[in-house]
Amino acid sequence: MLPGKAYIQTHGCQMNEHDSHRMRGVLVAEGYQMTESPEEASLILVNTCSVRHNPENKVYSFLGRVRELKQTKPGLIIAVAGCVAQQEGENILRREKSVDMVFGPDNLFNLPEMIERVRGGERVLMTKWQPNEQRVQNFIPDEWVDKGHVEGCKAFVSITKGCDNFCTFCVVPYTRGREVSREASSILREVEDLVSKGAREIWLLGQNVNSYRAGSHGFYELLQEVSEVPGLKRIRFTSPHPNDWNDRLSDLMAANPVICNHLHLPFQSGSDRLLGLMRRGHSVAEYLDKIAHMRSINPDIELSTDVIVGFPTETDEDFEGTLRVLEEARFAQIFPFKYSPRPKTLALKMDDDVPRDIKESRLARTIELTQRISEGDAQRYVGTEQEILIDGAHPRERGMMSGRTAGFRPVSLRDDSIEIGDVVRVRITRVGGHWLHGDLVEQDRDKSPFEGGSRGMSSETVVIL
Ligand code: SF4
């Protein structure tokens, strides 16, 4: 009997998106067809995030809804994966009787075994940490390295997982474990395979990507070698930590045209006192010095960042410091969050004393300021030519295609002859909100080997501000 259809719902970061992509690969290899509708699925998997409180709540409300489906479809398998699964483990099985399996990020390649056990009548829990050697192997077991598939023109490749930094607000070290780095040879093999299947842009992923260290390879050596893979047009990576960012890496980025001209470097707060309470391990001045060096050798670099507002004890003065960093660093994009206490973290012991309305107004001010800076700075593109990788249909404007500059600015253009995966030169004619609009300059299109051009399918979610 065929296993039927599988539905995956994903919450959270790119790491989770990537895990879901790999779980899709495992399920398809097991004979499942993927579906967008939970109602027609025989396996429903929710890949969870616990970095903020909200996504966690959404998971339980989703489980409440699929519980009803199980009453009409007794063979339905319901699985919970990801960070909430790792953190809550058995509690989920206790709280939601309809759930059949709960497993952490390190166990996704055990899906076939877990499904088999559920079919045999068990409820399965797989969240135990493996020894580090096993965790390195678990990035992608050898037999899966060449089985990746490419959707659109971009592909994600994990290079580190876990984190040893234990910032006081962050749950990641508890849900993703201690940091391990993957063998460089395995990473290169996967990148070569994905490029041969049509990937033009590779995203190197890790919680702390630039503390990568495997044998003689640090992040610098890895970036250099990945950039030499024939046919690869662009490399992006996320997220680096300021402590592990150095001028040598900035120099490499400025000199190597395959490494995109965009750096996402979280700064979290513009107050040294709060950075200390967060255990970030650097000061505001140290952060800004790194940015200043980067801009001095690479004036066109685009920057983005993460900011937390309303961390315990944050005063108006602390927050003004955050606004000053936003002014000085001139980020094109920020991912701002209102602080919420997370289980097991050290900050949980602090009094969450900033009132909700103040958190909200600070959040709004960070967004408003960055929007103003980013949209103002975007004017410098008008009249210039930019190389754009076409990544899909415009999410809102019918008949328009979209792509990204090397600096990660979204660009919209109309041309019936371009397809997803094309690298084209575009003259920027105007700025509208955070979008650049332009016209095709020359059709020296560098064709993607990707054959299923699927015009009309956007290959990513655009998240700006
Ligand atoms: S470095 Fe990043 S992932 Fe690690 S604990 Fe800090 S915020 Fe979390």
Side-chain angles (χ1 to χ4, degrees):
M1 194 179 80
L2 288 172
K5 295 188 178 175
Y7 168 85
I8 300 182
Q9 185 179 88
T10 309
H11 298 258
C13 64
Q14 272 147 337
M15 197 69 112
N16 261 17
E17 288 285 347
H18 181 43
D19 284 350
S20 291
H21 178 82
R22 291 194 291 183
M23 287 191 271
R24 264 197 297 282
V26 174
L27 291 171
V28 168
E30 284 295 292
Y32 280 95
Q33 278 179 286
M34 299 312 295
T35 174
E36 295 298 312
S37 152
E39 285 76 19
E40 56 179 42
S42 57
L43 185 151
I44 293 177
L45 193 160
V46 55
N47 190 10
T48 60
C49 167
S50 61
V51 167
R52 317 277 160 220
H53 196 53
N54 261 349
E56 203 176 301
N57 286 346
K58 280 188 201 156
V59 170
Y60 281 111
S61 82
F62 177 72
L63 287 176
R65 289 206 306 280
V66 295
R67 189 194 309 136
E68 290 165 24
L69 282 179
K70 189 139 179 169
Q71 283 155 8
T72 56
K73 221 187 206 187
L76 175 66
I77 297 176
I78 299 178
V80 182
C83 293
V84 177
Q86 184 68 44
Q87 184 183 292
E88 295 290 308
E90 210 166 352
N91 289 339
I92 299 175
L93 290 176
R94 247 186 259 123
R95 181 168 161 179
E96 271 299 335
K97 297 290 178 229
S98 59
V99 172
D100 301 288
M101 59 167 130
V102 173
F103 60 99
D106 252 12
N107 302 97
L108 64 93
F109 286 101
N110 297 102
L111 255 175
E113 176 202 330
M114 291 187 278
I115 292 171
E116 213 35 62
R117 284 171 55 190
V118 170
R119 286 187 184 136
E122 273 184 72
R123 295 179 82 207
V124 179
L125 175 69
M126 233 188 233
T127 52
K128 249 177 126 174
W129 292 115
Q130 310 285 339
N132 269 2
E133 237 168 72
Q134 186 61 40
R135 294 187 62 226
V136 171
Q137 168 66 10
N138 278 357
F139 267 102
I140 295 193
D142 274 352
E143 65 273 25
W144 283 95
V145 171
D146 302 330
K147 287 189 187 160
H149 61 287
V150 178
E151 291 163 12
C153 56
K154 300 174 189 177
F156 296 116
V157 173
S158 293
I159 66 163
T160 69
K161 63 181 165 186
C163 183
D164 292 341
N165 284 336
F166 291 90
C167 300
T168 57
F169 55 82
C170 181
V171 75
V172 163
Y174 309 98
T175 58
R176 293 269 176 176
R178 302 304 293 261
E179 183 177 295
V180 285
S181 294
R182 181 178 166 194
E183 298 282 348
S185 56
S186 167
I187 295 169
L188 286 162
R189 211 175 108 201
E190 191 183 1
V191 172
E192 282 162 4
D193 176 62
L194 293 167
V195 171
S196 76
K197 290 171 178 161
R200 319 230 76 199
E201 182 174 293
I202 293 289
W203 287 65
L204 302 177
L205 298 184
Q207 264 82 38
N208 199 0
V209 80
N210 54 334
S211 66
Y212 175 85
R213 165 70 46 200
S216 57
H217 283 74
F219 188 54
Y220 182 97
E221 290 74 23
L222 184 74
L223 271 181
Q224 229 171 2
E225 287 188 25
V226 172
S227 75
E228 286 160 14
V229 170
L232 178 60
K233 286 281 166 189
R234 289 179 164 187
I235 301 173
R236 300 189 191 275
F237 51 85
T238 192
S239 282
H241 192 291
N243 285 348
D244 298 299
W245 192 262
N246 54 43
D247 290 352
R248 198 164 160 253
L249 282 168
S250 293
D251 296 343
L252 176 65
M253 274 187 82
N256 188 322
V258 181
I259 305 171
C260 282
N261 213 15
H262 169 229
L263 178 63
H264 178 81
L265 200 61
F267 84 89
Q268 309 297 8
S269 170
S271 150
D272 281 340
R273 187 182 69 80
L274 286 194
L275 287 177
L277 284 179
M278 291 175 176
R279 281 214 188 148
R280 291 292 288 171
H282 62 83
S283 65
V284 175
E286 282 162 344
Y287 179 92
L288 289 173
D289 279 352
K290 292 180 190 202
I291 301 286
H293 174 76
M294 177 62 110
R295 287 226 195 268
S296 72
I297 53 165
N298 189 2
D300 294 334
I301 185 88
E302 292 281 21
L303 301 170
S304 58
T305 198
D306 296 334
V307 174
I308 295 174
V309 297
F311 189 78
T313 75
E314 186 185 62
T315 60
D316 285 344
E317 196 184 328
D318 293 321
F319 178 64
E320 291 301 325
T322 296
L323 296 180
R324 275 196 299 278
V325 175
L326 294 179
E327 293 270 10
E328 184 163 343
R330 306 195 73 76
F331 298 103
Q333 187 181 20
I334 58 165
F335 296 85
F337 294 103
K338 284 177 289 182
Y339 171 77
S340 61
R342 308 310 300 129
K344 294 188 180 161
T345 58
L346 277 175
L348 188 63
K349 299 196 179 103
M350 303 176 196
D351 187 13
D352 181 16
D353 58 353
V354 180
R356 186 203 275 227
D357 58 333
I358 293 188
K359 284 182 185 169
E360 269 160 16
S361 90
R362 287 178 184 166
L363 184 79
R365 285 179 68 194
T366 60
I367 293 172
E368 189 274 324
L369 176 60
T370 306
Q371 246 162 4
R372 189 153 41 80
I373 290 171
S374 177
E375 288 172 23
D377 286 354
Q379 295 296 338
R380 73 175 191 269
Y381 287 99
V382 175
T384 67
E385 285 183 18
Q386 299 292 318
E387 189 182 83
I388 309 297
L389 172 61
I390 301 297
D391 58 18
H394 193 289
R396 286 184 301 277
E397 292 178 29
R398 258 177 100 84
M400 304 294 282
M401 297 296 280
S402 77
R404 294 267 175 180
T405 64
F408 209 55
R409 294 264 180 183
V411 179
S412 124
L413 72 158
R414 186 189 299 277
D415 189 292
D416 291 339
S417 64
I418 53 177
E419 293 175 4
I420 294 173
D422 286 349
V423 177
V424 294
R425 287 199 75 76
V426 171
R427 177 173 292 281
I428 305 301
T429 52
R430 69 184 172 88
V431 176
H434 62 265
W435 283 83
L436 305 178
H437 299 264
D439 297 325
L440 206 60
V441 177
E442 52 183 275
Q443 202 62 354
D444 69 340
R445 160 189 326 169
D446 187 356
K447 265 292 198 195
S448 164
F450 171 64
E451 289 183 346
S454 68
R455 184 190 292 270
M457 291 286 291
S458 175
S459 61
E460 72 170 330
T461 310
V462 177
V463 184
I464 290 276
L465 298 173

